[in-house]
Amino acid sequence: MGLSIASFSAAVTAYDGTNCDAPGDCWQPKPGFPEKIEGTKYDPKHSKEELGKQQKAIQAMERRNAKRAEHFKKTGEWVYDISKLE
Amino acid sequence: MRFLSAIALALMVASPYTMANQKLDKMSKEDSNWVMPGGTYDFNVFGEQTEINVNNVDQLRPAWSFSTGVLSGHEGTPLVIDGMMYIHGPYPNNTFALDLDNPSEIVWQHKPKQDPAARAVACCDVVNRGLAYWPGDGDTPPLVIKTQLDGHLVALNAKTGKEYWKVEVMDISVGQTLTQAPYVAKDLAIVGSSGAELGVRGLVSAFNVKTGAMEWRWYATGPDEDIGLADNFNSENPHYGQEGLGQKTWEKDAWKIGGGTNWGWYAYDPDLEMFYYGSGNPAPWNETMRPGDNKWTMTIWGRDVNTGLAKFGYQKTPHDEWDYAGVNVMVLTEQEIDGEMRKVLTHPDRNGIVYTLDRETGDLLRADKLDETANWVKYVDMETGLPVRDPEYSTRMGHRSRDVCPSAMGFHNQGVMSYDPEQQNFFIGINHLCMDWEPFMLPYRAGQFFVGANVWSYPGPKGNREEGIGSGQVKSYNAKTGEFEWSVMEKFSVWGGTMATAGNLVFYGTLDGFIKARDSRNGELLWKYKLPSGSVGYPLTYTHNGTQYVGINYGVGGWPAVGLVFDLEDPSAGLGAVGAFKELQNHTQMGGGFIAFSLRGQGPFDDLSVGEYKPNN
């Protein structure tokens, strides 16, 4: 099952997924497309703030859940509304 | 998050082997029960019963039915435990408990209050794939575990329907929802994620069923410590890739909105204490906006159930260009492949390949096309594990790709797959759908759709593209040989999956509103019944008071029926599904319920006094 990286050829005309830089890393740009999209017409120009929103939401949910579970452990009663927990 | 995970790890290592795990496994093997999605931990969707068989299946008739009172797609199947049936539905995800001795009385019902805004961030109808069950341990009562579209995971007392705990898993304000059935292994409720069409980074979490506390949580993309890799991750197959790839195969921070949600099915091996599932598509659909292999989206995972840490991960579709969300069903079997007995998992993917892996090591053993018309890939190289792409059917900015097979809807989607252990064949409900696809640039705004492609799906080469029919197949597949033993065409995609029995039967529902039975040995159609509405769930079977029943949810919806459900006409609307299924509305309308069938329709109401009002004197 071993895979020899050295056996891969660097010269390609079209991306067919079989030329790997490293195990598990075989992407190549298609003909006419850039290696990096930053600064090109394909630059997604993602906002850092938007990219961070999911993690913030998840951390907030984890904090609320931890409070609920803690209360449940103490009292045996599950209270969903955290405003009712001290 | 990492802090919690570390505590979880320490706790779980210290905890003794739990009996509840064995109890559920044992219950799942009784004919009177259907205790989890797929029926058993193997997820073989198989009934040992032979009362209903090839010789008498034409005598199947409805025994009783139940309307859920809501419309939209009714995916999954009910649970049956100790003489009680638990029925679940799409948004608002009401749950009903019915006594099988008298299903005319609802024992309890749980009707969640949800923010209706959750509907607006569901990509593909407001479906839900079902319930899970934990059998109780003396201290904690038996629990029915459910998900809600608004992102909650809820445990209900199975006897009373009262909420036992309720945790937040997903937040609709950032595009996250839940549609999958949760999964119980040991004392854990495992739950995935939805929302790759809104740029949601996939995650899988486990909650302690007894305390409601989170035990572990791992992601599909990003740093290795977020993804949860065991020290020996992919050590048996290092060419799959190992460390650092959750970031290295992305440009900059694009992995933070990288998809890889898992909203399909799980399977579990109690001996190895490993569970298996697939992570979904990367975001956005526009491939040009995310150069790289985009690991670990589109990956078959084998994870330790106690810690959640991954022992292996095999990426099926590196750098997805087609939305072949890799979430489909996993069925666990033992097979002699190339002369060696192996414990394997078999997995029919959206991308048109059915994979078989050794479920202990992750070794790739088989990768066969579900239909030879799949054209994005020439073949999967078994040495490297890499799909050899045909650049002609790639997608990219500034280009309308044509006649790409499969469509984004896949040659297989969320439907389950059954397996007959005697015949050693898999019965696969297949979509025969291809597409045109053209991406466009778009920004990411949390809570908004982040797709970036116009898609036109239509029936594949073997169907009738002009009339919009011939978009389904059912096939019998043998993993030992890689051969399809029989294959039949269907008018529409076989979306809900199949259920097989030892009576040499394979049952499935169709989008145009039939439940059908075929001879599982040769595919011959033996019986069908016209349901009130199309089916996107899968049949189950159970024996109650000595009678075998076959049951199925009806209520069309899900991705194939979004045109019908939301009254859409533009063929590229509904992420390309509307055109492919324009003919569906001439065969069915919405519905929602469950029907139980038995030979000659015998059932609880044969005794006419059952369910009657009895005056006091």
Side-chain angles (χ1 to χ4, degrees):
Chain A
M1 294 301 278
L3 179 85
S4 166
I5 299 304
S7 69
F8 289 124
S9 156
V12 279
T13 49
Y15 168 48
D16 74 353
T18 64
N19 298 280
C20 305
D21 289 340
D25 187 3
C26 311
W27 178 82
Q28 291 183 305
K30 292 170 184 148
F33 284 82
E35 181 88 27
K36 297 265 178 217
I37 52 176
E38 187 179 15
T40 74
K41 63 177 173 174
Y42 306 119
D43 191 339
K45 295 180 184 147
H46 290 311
S47 140
K48 234 183 169 48
E49 192 196 340
E50 292 291 333
L51 293 193
K53 282 185 176 175
Q54 290 180 39
Q55 196 59 19
K56 269 191 189 155
I58 287 171
Q59 283 165 351
M61 288 189 283
E62 287 179 353
R63 278 195 297 272
R64 292 192 291 269
N65 286 339
K67 280 185 190 168
R68 292 168 184 135
E70 186 59 30
H71 181 80
F72 184 66
K73 208 170 121 189
K74 274 192 222 146
T75 67
E77 186 195 9
W78 190 270
V79 177
Y80 178 81
D81 183 352
I82 53 161
S83 73
K84 291 179 180 153
L85 305 173
E86 75 285 4
Chain B
M1 162 205 60
R2 288 173 209 169
F3 175 65
L4 276 177
S5 300
I7 292 177
L9 209 139
L11 283 176
M12 292 309 296
V13 169
S15 79
Y17 187 78
T18 52
M19 298 302 286
N21 189 34
Q22 290 174 311
K23 196 170 166 187
L24 198 61
D25 195 25
K26 187 164 167 285
M27 287 173 74
S28 75
K29 287 165 184 158
E30 292 163 9
D31 285 349
S32 54
N33 289 330
W34 192 276
V35 299
M36 64 177 84
T40 59
Y41 279 134
D42 292 343
F43 211 113
N44 60 11
V45 201
F46 181 77
E48 300 279 355
Q49 297 97 322
T50 55
E51 182 189 337
I52 301 166
N53 57 60
V54 286
N55 298 316
N56 61 17
V57 67
D58 62 346
Q59 295 169 39
L60 268 192
R61 301 286 181 274
W64 59 272
S65 63
F66 178 80
S67 168
T68 60
V70 290
L71 301 175
S72 283
H74 283 58
E75 293 190 346
T77 206
L79 299 182
V80 177
I81 298 143
D82 296 338
M84 193 91 89
M85 179 176 287
Y86 302 93
I87 293 178
H88 192 52
Y91 175 91
N93 310 118
N94 297 335
T95 308
F96 301 94
L98 305 179
D99 181 345
L100 291 177
D101 287 332
N102 177 13
S104 71
E105 285 180 21
I106 299 167
V107 177
W108 58 254
Q109 49 197 295
H110 178 257
K111 294 185 160 182
K113 296 278 180 286
Q114 298 188 46
D115 182 346
R119 301 174 61 102
V121 287
C123 78
C124 310
D125 198 8
V126 294
V127 294
N128 189 288
R129 300 191 182 81
L131 304 166
Y133 179 81
W134 181 77
D137 67 354
D139 297 330
T140 302
L143 300 170
V144 168
I145 321 270
K146 65 188 274 182
T147 57
Q148 298 181 180
L149 188 67
D150 67 0
H152 289 96
L153 179 73
V154 184
L156 306 175
N157 183 317
K159 301 293 177 208
T160 64
K162 289 220 160 31
E163 282 185 9
Y164 195 73
W165 49 255
K166 175 181 175 183
V167 295
E168 297 175 85
V169 182
M170 304 255 89
D171 183 339
I172 60 170
S173 76
V174 291
Q176 302 171 332
T177 51
L178 286 176
T179 60
Q180 78 166 178
Y183 198 71
V184 168
K186 299 189 112 172
D187 291 334
L188 298 172
I190 299 168
V191 65
S193 46
S194 289
E197 279 58 55
L198 296 94
V200 172
R201 177 191 181 205
L203 59 155
V204 60
S205 321
F207 292 85
N208 185 315
V209 288
K210 298 201 265 191
T211 65
M214 191 170 83
E215 298 286 3
W216 47 255
R217 165 165 283 172
W218 304 113
Y219 292 80
T221 67
D224 288 349
E225 56 267 36
D226 285 10
I227 298 172
L229 304 181
D231 289 340
N232 62 350
F233 176 66
N234 277 348
S235 59
E236 316 243 15
N237 292 284
H239 60 289
Y240 291 176
Q242 294 175 289
E243 285 81 38
L245 297 169
Q247 285 177 292
K248 224 162 66 183
T249 59
W250 296 83
E251 186 172 325
K252 298 180 72 185
D253 286 344
W255 57 265
K256 290 187 176 177
I257 50 169
T261 50
N262 66 297
W263 45 270
W265 308 99
Y266 300 94
Y268 174 59
D269 184 327
D271 296 327
L272 297 176
E273 299 204 357
M274 287 175 72
F275 72 103
Y276 307 92
Y277 70 97
S279 50
N281 58 291
W285 287 13
N286 182 347
E287 67 84 39
T288 304
M289 292 176 63
R290 46 168 174 79
D293 271 356
N294 307 138
K295 283 181 168 62
W296 291 94
T297 64
M298 305 299 221
T299 296
I300 296 173
W301 293 101
R303 288 182 180 267
D304 176 80
V305 77
N306 301 304
T307 61
L309 294 175
K311 185 173 177 207
F312 68 80
Y314 168 70
Q315 191 183 38
K316 298 162 287 183
T317 313
H319 186 68
D320 171 57
E321 304 179 17
W322 313 270
D323 180 38
Y324 295 149
V327 303
N328 292 353
V329 67
M330 304 277 172
V331 180
L332 310 186
T333 65
E334 295 192 12
Q335 301 284 343
E336 186 180 334
I337 294 182
D338 301 332
E340 200 180 333
M341 262 327 263
R342 302 259 205 168
K343 292 182 82 170
V344 303
L345 66 84
T346 298
H347 169 71
D349 195 65
R350 280 268 272 276
N351 71 12
I353 304 284
V354 51
Y355 296 88
T356 296
L357 271 62
D358 184 308
R359 68 173 179 266
E360 198 166 358
T361 62
D363 294 351
L364 180 64
L365 304 175
R366 284 255 181 273
D368 298 307
K369 286 190 178 181
L370 284 167
D371 193 82
E372 71 277 10
T373 54
N375 60 16
W376 72 275
V377 57
K378 292 174 179 168
Y379 58 93
V380 176
D381 184 317
M382 300 304 289
E383 281 300 309
T384 64
L386 297 171
V388 180
R389 306 157 94 97
D390 185 342
E392 189 179 341
Y393 299 102
S394 73
T395 74
R396 54 199 183 272
M397 274 298 291
H399 175 71
R400 176 158 171 164
S401 306
R402 294 176 195 275
D403 294 309
V404 180
C405 304
S407 145
M409 302 179 85
F411 274 0
H412 190 87
N413 202 286
Q414 61 85 35
V416 306
M417 172 173 80
S418 57
Y419 175 76
D420 183 325
E422 184 76 24
Q423 296 181 30
Q424 304 196 340
N425 285 332
F426 298 87
F427 307 106
I428 317 178
I430 290 174
N431 310 330
H432 190 57
L433 293 167
C434 303
M435 66 176 171
D436 289 6
W437 170 296
E438 187 171 9
F440 57 86
M441 298 293 292
L442 80 173
Y444 172 77
R445 299 273 181 269
Q448 294 182 19
F449 275 82
F450 185 52
V451 175
N454 286 316
V455 182
W456 298 262
S457 288
Y458 37 74
K462 296 176 177 176
N464 183 333
R465 192 166 296 179
E466 281 64 44
E467 294 182 27
I469 52 177
S471 62
Q473 296 181 310
V474 182
K475 297 191 182 194
S476 171
Y477 172 73
N478 187 304
K480 282 195 294 298
T481 62
E483 300 289 324
F484 291 93
E485 300 205 348
W486 54 261
S487 173
V488 295
M489 290 296 295
E490 276 285 348
K491 188 177 280 179
F492 294 106
S493 298
V494 182
W495 199 261
T498 69
M499 185 273 293
T501 72
N504 287 321
L505 291 168
V506 57
F507 292 89
Y508 58 95
T510 65
L511 290 175
D512 55 336
F514 289 100
I515 176 171
K516 297 185 181 181
R518 291 183 185 271
D519 187 323
S520 56
R521 298 165 300 185
N522 55 31
E524 186 189 348
L525 183 63
L526 299 177
W527 173 79
K528 66 180 178 183
Y529 176 85
K530 185 70 181 75
L531 299 164
S533 174
S535 181
V536 289
Y538 62 97
L540 84 174
T541 189
Y542 63 92
T543 299
H544 184 67
N545 291 339
T547 300
Q548 183 188 358
Y549 295 85
V550 169
I552 192 166
N553 287 339
Y554 66 85
V556 82
W559 195 359
V562 289
L564 190 158
V565 170
F566 298 103
D567 206 13
L568 308 171
E569 282 177 8
D570 175 348
S572 73
L575 303 172
V578 170
F581 291 96
K582 61 186 177 186
E583 185 56 23
L584 191 56
Q585 61 188 326
N586 295 327
H587 293 73
T588 190
Q589 295 296 309
M590 281 192 280
F594 171 82
I595 301 187
F597 298 85
S598 62
L599 292 176
R600 299 173 302 284
Q602 60 189 313
F605 305 112
D606 290 350
D607 177 351
L608 295 179
S609 72
V610 171
E612 287 300 304
Y613 172 66
K614 293 182 185 73
N616 285 334
N617 46 17

